[in-house]
Each structure stands twice: as structure tokens, then as C-alpha cells.
Amino acid sequence: MRVLAGALLGLLAREPLSGTELNQQLQHRLGAAWRAGHSQIYPELARLEGEGAVSHEVLPQPDRPAMKRYALTEQGLGRLRAWASEPGEVSAVRDELAVKTYSLWLVNPVAAAAVLAAHERHHARRLAFYEGLLAELERAWDAEGGALGSPLFASVALVRRGLGYEREYTEWCRWVRARLARAPTTPGAPA
Amino acid sequence: MRVLAGALLGLLAREPLSGTELNQQLQHRLGAAWRAGHSQIYPELARLEGEGAVSHEVLPQPDRPAMKRYALTEQGLGRLRAWASEPGEVSAVRDELAVKTYSLWLVNPVAAAAVLAAHERHHARRLAFYEGLLAELERAWDAEGGALGSPLFASVALVRRGLGYEREYTEWCRWVRARLARAPTTPGAPA
DNA sequence: TAACCCATGTAAACGGTTACATGATTTC
DNA sequence: GAAATCATGTAACCGTTTACATGGGTTA
């Protein structure tokens, strides 16, 4: 199964959603793990429906165009369970800043520090967001009893992954910036 | 500029290399940042040569087929410097295991723990590799004087990123496994 | 001479991104 | 009734992956 299909089924396993809502939730709830635009989502939903993993009803809305609300079928739930239990390969990292880092010795340290600072701000912002979200989710999960069968368990686990990623990335940016700030000019790195 | 082009130029900025060697070094030196197969590398080299960023000479070898050894041109070095100094977007994370994690509440905890353990082993292995490599690189860099203009600085910085990533990923796997091991069975997660 | 390996390449299929398109509904 | 918005969708392009291809070289 494609990862995007797994992501959509995972969202629908919690509540029925329309294409637009899936698009938003993919960004907000699964943004730490995957990304996709609506032009990928609609065809994928059509395919999943053709395969019987998902079904929809048309929801007329008072002051908006009608939306198709998709829901997981029993078959879809089975597929999701099977996919989530599969081992699978370790996903390869694709990080443009890390590739640039390999050529950092060729770059003026002041310019390099500016690039790093911009990325650090971005990751620090996401880190703060995840910290708040995690506190909220853990409170709700604890209140429920902390069961592994609760969707909140999975949410907490994923947010913890995003939090750790952003924390580590932020700290790494800080380390590189500190190194860049130490020596003013060097051979091989012209103004 | 494409990221793959930046990766290849970054490798060639240190020493001239053939297509096969670029393929190997991309995996070993830049594996923490990018991945590509040889079927992408050869066309990209041809394009870079057409643009004047790279040139090649044919190297006949005693007991092997001849290879084309590519070297960075002055223009290529300029392009690499400019690209590495650009701010650029923050790369999106694409992690299949993290997507599966969002549906972990639907999975039998014993099966889930097995999946997590397999990934943990993989990341722990890479972590150990990076730890050894970092020690080696830092020793060499220090022996050189620790200049920012040394390629070793960039190598150290990138390996530190990979190390942090793998350490965080390993710890996260451990956290999830610990949670999964605590309660034996739960509603919503059948055998 | 047949089988194999190595370095280089090409082709087809797939997934993802960007840009364009449509019809309905509200707002100006 | 013109412009803006929303939900849905389609099309073209581009990068990546997988599979196939070639020619020189050595080994059995």
C-alpha cells in the first residue's frame, strides 16, 4: 500500500472526513510524518473507494458547496491494520540543508550563519508548537486511562517523534552556528 | 539548482571522481542527507558538463573498463558556493514508520513492538557507525587546527546531524516500545 | 568460448508538485 | 451581475525508482 493511502485511512479511522478536511488534517496532525497536496488526495480517495476501502455520502451544507464525507469501511480498517503491522523499510532522509552542510567549508561563515539561523528559527517554532500539543494530548490520554487502544496513544507517540526531531534539529543548528561564530575568517571561505 | 546537482558538486569539490565513485560516496558520505541511484547520477553529470560546471577526462585502467573522471570547473565551484549560501526551504519529512505510528492504536501491541524493535536496531546500528566516524573526523580536524575552511569541518557538521537524528530516532523507538510493553492487551487492538 | 563483472548508460513506470479548470454559493 | 470563495477535480511537468541494455575485461 502507498504511504499516502495509509495516511488517509489512518485519519478516517478516527472520524469521517471530506477531501478538504483530510487535506487540512494531513497537514496538522500528520505534518511531522508526511505531506501531500489536495491534487494527490482526491485521486487517492477515488482509488480507495474503487477498492472498497472507503465509502462516501454527499453532505449538503447550508451556506457552502456540498462535500463528500468519506468513511472507512470494514475492509479499509482491515487493510489499515495489516499495513500498520508490516515491518517496512526505513525511510531515506532527504534534507537539502544537510546536503548544503557538506559544502559549508566553501561558504563565507557569516552568510552560512544566517542560513542556519533561519532554519533554527523554523525548527524552534515547530518545537514549541509540539511541546504545547504534547502536554495537551498527554493530559487527555491520562484522563482516559492511558490505554494503548486509544487514538490518543498514537497521537502522543507521533507528536513525540516530531518533538524529538525538531529539538534535535534546533540543537544541531545551534552547534553549527556556535562553530561558525568562533573564528572570523578562514582560508577557503572568501567574503 | 537541484539538490542532486548540489550533492555531486559538493563531492567533486573535494576530489575528482568517476560516476561509480560518486555513486558510492553519495551513499557513504552523504547518506544522512540524500540518496540516489546511478541511473540518476549519469544523466545529471552529463547535464552539469553541458552547463560547464564539470569536466571529465577518460581514465584507462589496467584491469578494468576505463572510467570518466569528473572534476569541478571554476564555474562549478562558483555555482556550488552560491547554492550552499542560499537560504532555501525547510525540507519536508517523509517517514513511513511515523505515518504508521498514527494508526498504532489499531495494532496488536506485540506485533507493533516487533516492528519498532526492527527499526530501533537499524537506527542504533547507524548511530554506532556515526559515533565512530565522528570521533575519527574530529581527531583529524583538530589535528589540522580546526579551521572552518577545511572540508573536515563540513564533514563533522554533517555527521553530527546524522548522529543526532539516529540517536533521537533510537530513543523514540525505545520510548514507544516501553509503552507497548506496559499493558498486555487493550480494547481496539485485537490479536 | 562461455560466464561473469564492472562502468556506463537508457527506458518505462511511479509519485509528487504546480498549474489550470469547474460549478456552486456568498458578497460587493 | 461581477468578484471572491470553497470544494472538487484534471493535466502537465519533473524527479525518483526499477528494470533493461551495452561494451570492455577478466576468469573458468
Side-chain angles (χ1 to χ4, degrees), chain A residues 9 23 26 28 49 65 70-71 89 108 117 121 126 128 132 143-144:
Chain A
L9 296 184
N23 188 34
L26 189 63
H28 296 131
E49 185 158 38
Y70 288 87
E89 299 292 302
N108 167 18
R121 275 192 298 276
R126 294 191 64 86
E144 248 190 29

Side-chain angles (χ1 to χ4, degrees), chain A residues 153-167:
Chain A
F153 162 58
S155 294
V156 164
L158 179 53
V159 169
R160 272 184 177 270
R161 172 68 193 125
L163 191 154
Y165 178 85
E166 301 297 349
R167 182 182 51 209

Side-chain angles (χ1 to χ4, degrees), chain A residues 7-191:
Chain A
L8 297 180
L9 296 184
L11 289 167
L12 292 175
R14 304 186 176 210
E15 53 175 340
L17 293 166
S18 68
T20 302
E21 289 168 333
L22 280 165
N23 188 34
Q24 292 163 357
Q25 297 214 1
L26 189 63
Q27 195 179 341
H28 296 131
R29 307 233 203 293
L30 278 168
W34 206 256
R35 196 149 301 204
H38 76 273
S39 68
Q40 260 185 290
I41 292 171
Y42 288 113
E44 190 66 53
L45 279 172
R47 159 191 292 235
L48 286 169
E49 185 158 38
E51 295 167 352
V54 134
S55 67
H56 83 269
E57 55 177 349
V58 176
L59 257 243
Q61 297 184 117
D63 57 346
R64 299 270 170 108
M67 45 165 70
K68 296 185 181 176
R69 186 158 63 181
Y70 288 87
L72 210 59
T73 64
E74 274 304 312
Q75 196 238 56
L77 179 59
R79 277 183 66 181
L80 176 59
R81 278 201 159 102
W83 175 73
S85 311
E86 280 170 15
E89 299 292 302
V90 173
S91 298
V93 173
R94 292 185 172 274
D95 184 341
E96 178 166 349
L97 180 62
V99 176
K100 286 180 174 175
T101 298
Y102 194 68
S103 297
L104 211 59
W105 61 291
L106 294 167
V107 175
N108 167 18
V110 176
V115 170
L116 266 291
H119 281 261
E120 183 179 333
R121 275 192 298 276
H122 179 275
H123 291 292
R125 235 181 294 124
R126 294 191 64 86
L127 172 59
F129 171 74
Y130 285 135
E131 280 170 344
L133 183 57
L134 180 62
E136 198 180 312
L137 288 171
E138 284 196 322
R139 211 179 320 117
W141 185 35
D142 285 350
E144 248 190 29
L148 299 182
S150 161
L152 286 171
F153 162 58
S155 294
V156 164
L158 179 53
V159 169
R160 272 184 177 270
R161 172 68 193 125
L163 191 154
Y165 178 85
E166 301 297 349
R167 182 182 51 209
E168 153 55 31
Y169 213 125
T170 305
E171 281 168 13
W172 176 78
C173 288
R174 274 242 306 269
W175 182 89
V176 179
R177 284 205 303 121
R179 282 287 167 169
L180 288 169
R182 192 168 301 183
T185 56
T186 65

Side-chain angles (χ1 to χ4, degrees), chain B:
Chain B
M1 185 158 70
R2 301 139 100 117
V3 179
L4 177 57
L8 298 180
L9 296 183
L11 289 167
L12 292 175
R14 306 187 173 208
E15 54 176 339
L17 293 166
S18 69
T20 302
E21 289 167 333
L22 280 164
N23 188 34
Q24 292 163 357
Q25 296 215 1
L26 190 63
Q27 195 179 338
H28 296 131
R29 307 232 202 294
L30 277 167
W34 207 257
R35 196 149 302 205
H38 76 273
S39 69
Q40 260 185 291
I41 291 172
Y42 289 113
E44 189 66 53
L45 279 171
R47 161 191 291 236
L48 286 169
E49 185 159 37
E51 294 168 352
V54 134
S55 66
H56 83 268
E57 55 178 349
V58 176
L59 259 241
Q61 297 185 118
D63 58 345
R64 300 271 171 107
M67 45 164 71
K68 296 185 182 177
R69 186 157 64 180
Y70 288 87
L72 210 60
T73 64
E74 274 303 313
Q75 196 238 56
L77 179 59
R79 277 183 66 179
L80 176 58
R81 278 202 159 101
W83 175 73
S85 311
E86 280 171 14
E89 299 291 303
V90 173
S91 298
V93 174
R94 291 184 173 276
D95 184 342
E96 179 166 347
L97 180 62
V99 175
K100 285 180 174 174
T101 298
Y102 194 67
S103 297
L104 211 60
W105 63 290
L106 294 167
V107 176
N108 167 17
V110 175
V115 171
L116 266 292
H119 282 261
E120 183 179 334
R121 275 192 298 276
H122 179 274
H123 291 292
R125 236 181 293 124
R126 294 192 64 86
L127 172 59
F129 170 74
Y130 285 135
E131 279 171 344
L133 183 57
L134 180 62
E136 198 180 313
L137 288 170
E138 284 196 322
R139 210 180 320 116
W141 185 35
D142 285 350
E144 248 190 29
L148 299 182
S150 161
L152 286 171
F153 163 57
S155 293
V156 164
L158 179 53
V159 169
R160 274 184 176 269
R161 173 68 194 124
L163 191 153
Y165 178 85
E166 302 297 350
R167 182 182 51 208
E168 154 56 31
Y169 213 125
T170 306
E171 282 169 12
W172 176 78
C173 288
R174 273 241 307 268
W175 182 89
V176 178
R177 284 205 303 121
R179 282 288 169 168
L180 288 169
R182 192 168 301 184
T185 56
T186 65

